[in-house]
Amino acid sequence: MKIDVLSLFPEMFEGVLHTSIMKKAQENEAVSFAVTDFRSFSGNKHHKVDDYPYGGGAGMVLKAEPLFAAVDALSLDASKKPRVILMCPQGERFNQKKAEELAQEEHLVFLCGHYEGYDERIREHLVTDELSLGDFVLTGGEIAAMAMIDSVVRLLPNVLGNTDSPVLDSFSTGLLEHPQYTRPSEFRGMKVPEVLLSGNHAAIDKWREEQAVIRTFERRKDLLEHAPLTPHQQQVLKRLIEEKNN
């Protein structure tokens, strides 16, 4: 996969894209990154990329010309047009399902804005997706793009050491992940559940199925509306509901 980022502050990405799993992903040739300052596509000697909004109002608006020119340049050698993603608090809320969808693409371009907003023609005619991290506003799109890139890249083949890891993550199954424990088996009087020490993998799998439902019921009931539950998990959920109603 190739990932391009268009930002006015490319230095913000240095640490994130060149350490930990993102560094490993590049070393394994699962992904390549390029971060471009789109001021270089401004077309004027002052590298101005924003202007006052028509009709008046507070703040400055990012101009259409530099972003269109930058995306055109990044698309020249591509076998097909890239997925162009606008970071925007008005966009679709990003989630694991969207990360899995984007992980299937060959080329992603993330547009990171600043100032008051974007010229509307960027939304209407340039981007394929508008995505948001949540119902809050950041000073720019860079932090949101970093989070989304991380969540997408970790799903690519040969990135995580254990191929089961992304499959079992919270949200990938429709539920929150079951509790995890490691050594020692007892710490300050707190013990690891006996089933995890039993060596009985069928019993362990059953316990994990149950715990995923219990944790989701306690923390994110909304996820249970569409989660693909096994027959055993359906029984666990029914029991939880009955206990709550009694």
Side-chain angles (χ1 to χ4, degrees):
M1 173 184 282
K2 177 176 175 56
I3 294 180
D4 280 292
V5 180
L6 295 175
S7 168
L8 297 175
F9 303 96
E11 65 275 9
M12 291 179 66
F13 290 84
E14 285 300 315
V16 172
L17 299 184
H18 299 290
T19 56
S20 186
I21 296 298
M22 297 301 103
K23 179 181 180 181
K24 178 182 176 182
Q26 293 176 87
E27 292 173 347
N28 292 345
E29 299 183 349
V31 67
S32 63
F33 297 118
V35 185
T36 302
D37 185 343
F38 60 87
R39 285 189 183 91
S40 59
F41 293 92
S42 62
N44 61 78
K45 65 180 181 179
H46 298 296
H47 302 297
K48 186 176 176 61
V49 295
D50 63 327
D51 212 330
Y52 295 103
Y54 278 125
M60 303 291 280
V61 176
L62 283 173
K63 295 163 63 69
E65 299 100 316
L67 285 171
F68 271 82
V71 172
D72 286 346
L74 297 175
S75 306
L76 286 177
D77 299 325
S79 57
K80 65 177 183 178
K81 290 186 177 181
R83 193 89 170 252
V84 182
I85 303 165
L86 186 72
M87 300 293 95
C88 179
Q90 298 180 16
E92 173 190 353
R93 187 178 295 181
F94 186 74
N95 56 25
Q96 187 69 16
K97 183 178 179 180
K98 179 61 70 170
E100 292 168 356
E101 176 187 327
L102 295 178
Q104 304 303 312
E105 298 289 337
E106 296 178 7
H107 188 189
L108 301 176
V109 179
F110 288 84
L111 306 188
C112 303
H114 264 71
Y115 312 119
E116 183 64 23
Y118 304 91
D119 185 297
E120 191 65 17
R121 288 165 289 191
I122 295 169
R123 302 178 191 273
E124 294 177 346
H125 303 290
L126 180 62
V127 306
T128 58
D129 303 80
E130 292 184 50
L131 296 180
S132 168
L133 276 187
D135 298 338
F136 54 90
V137 179
L138 298 168
T139 56
E142 285 78 11
I143 293 174
M146 292 175 199
M148 294 180 194
I149 289 169
D150 184 282
S151 68
V152 169
V153 171
R154 66 188 300 279
L155 298 174
L156 300 178
N158 302 318
V159 173
L160 296 181
N162 188 331
T163 55
D164 289 336
S165 292
V167 178
L168 299 175
D169 281 338
S170 291
F171 306 110
S172 291
T173 62
L175 301 172
L176 300 183
E177 189 178 15
H178 56 77
Q180 299 276 14
Y181 297 87
T182 189
R183 296 175 182 174
S185 60
E186 183 174 348
F187 173 67
R188 296 186 178 181
M190 298 175 285
K191 296 181 179 181
V192 172
E194 286 295 330
V195 66
L196 298 179
L197 308 176
S198 68
N200 185 334
H201 293 290
I204 291 171
D205 289 343
K206 182 178 180 181
W207 180 86
R208 286 175 171 168
E209 276 194 20
E210 293 174 356
Q211 290 300 314
V213 176
I214 293 170
R215 175 153 289 189
T216 306
F217 185 80
E218 292 174 344
R219 303 184 182 193
R220 288 291 304 275
K221 287 188 180 69
D222 58 298
L223 297 176
L224 291 167
E225 295 178 13
H226 305 290
L229 302 180
T230 66
H232 175 60
Q233 288 176 324
Q234 291 174 3
Q235 292 176 1
V236 173
L237 178 58
K238 181 180 179 181
R239 187 187 77 230
L240 291 171
I241 294 172
E242 290 174 350
E243 290 175 354
K244 182 181 178 182
N245 292 334
N246 289 337

